[in-house]
Amino acid sequence: MEPDELAQVEGMVVDQQTDVLYAAQEDVGIWRMRADLTGTPVLFDKVREFGVPGTYDPETEECTPGADPGYGGRRLTADAEGLTIYYRDDRKGYLLASSQGDNTFAVYRKEGANAYLGQFRVGELDGVDGVEHSDGSTVLNVPLGDFDEGVFIAHDGENTPAVADRENTNFKFTKWDAIAGELDLDVDTDGWDPRD
């Protein structure tokens, strides 16, 4: 982030079951607030780098972090980016957040105080590269083609092999049951549909 710039909100999602808005602020963390923007926002998880002073390098247009005063969180590595929600039919589900700095996705309960449930990475498989520098994702709780138990789709900001003279990005599709199995999450293919 450049001097005199505030941390941007990089991703937002509204829980259509509870009218709660979640917002990922890149160098801060994840906020929870009423979707009508009344009330007081709650910062329920912070990035590790939260509160770490930095020195701006105009040559690289990046900040070099200084000593960590210990104000940050333990789960997200800046930038906090895209958010998506996996819905279950019992009004429960999961909030998934892109932790861009370490190429992982954090998973929280979408209800209550948003308890942290774990983290996963979309890695390389059968010669296809994994997800790096993801700006966002989406998740579906219904069968889709070969994805019988639902699908997680993530932006891959550094697709390989690289293409000369241009940024090479794409999307990676992962079976929801593969993610759910690793983190002991529920699979609900009769999931809630906001149109119901």
Side-chain angles (χ1 to χ4, degrees):
M1 183 168 23
E2 295 184 28
D4 301 324
E5 283 190 10
L6 298 175
Q8 297 181 73
V9 171
E10 294 285 348
M12 290 189 289
V13 66
V14 172
D15 182 342
Q16 297 177 46
Q17 292 174 324
T18 62
D19 291 329
V20 171
L21 169 70
Y22 295 98
Q25 195 173 12
E26 57 182 3
D27 293 325
V28 177
I30 303 174
W31 295 91
R32 176 182 64 237
M33 65 199 79
R34 291 174 47 106
D36 64 6
L37 305 182
T38 62
T40 303
V42 173
L43 180 62
F44 73 86
D45 204 358
K46 297 182 273 190
V47 297
R48 288 179 176 93
E49 298 81 359
F50 182 84
V52 176
T55 305
Y56 181 69
D57 180 348
E59 190 170 304
T60 64
E61 297 183 355
E62 297 288 334
C63 283
T64 303
D68 184 352
Y71 302 133
R74 298 187 331 255
R75 301 173 191 99
L76 299 170
T77 301
D79 290 350
E81 291 279 336
L83 302 169
T84 189
I85 294 176
Y86 180 88
Y87 290 101
R88 294 176 13 193
D89 64 359
D90 57 4
R91 297 189 59 82
K92 295 182 179 179
Y94 310 111
L95 173 70
L96 290 80
S98 174
S99 175
Q100 192 179 62
D102 63 1
N103 303 318
T104 64
F105 296 87
V107 182
Y108 306 86
R109 288 197 189 286
K110 78 171 189 73
E111 63 276 356
N114 302 109
Y116 173 75
L117 299 174
Q119 211 126 347
F120 67 92
R121 178 183 316 272
V122 177
E124 177 187 353
L125 181 65
D126 297 330
V128 177
D129 69 313
V131 171
E132 297 176 305
H133 309 294
S134 181
D135 285 327
S137 61
T138 193
V139 63
L140 298 176
N141 62 358
V142 294
L144 181 67
D146 291 335
F147 300 92
D148 298 334
E149 307 291 335
V151 62
F152 175 76
I153 305 167
H155 166 256
D156 177 12
E158 194 174 314
N159 185 47
T160 56
V163 175
D165 299 327
R166 73 177 181 95
E167 188 175 359
N168 187 21
T169 69
N170 68 3
F171 296 90
K172 301 298 192 293
F173 292 67
T174 305
K175 292 182 176 187
W176 174 250
D177 51 317
I179 295 167
E182 287 294 317
L183 296 175
D184 198 26
L185 305 174
D186 290 327
V187 174
D188 187 355
T189 54
D190 296 324
W192 178 79
D193 184 334
R195 296 168 296 185
D196 290 341

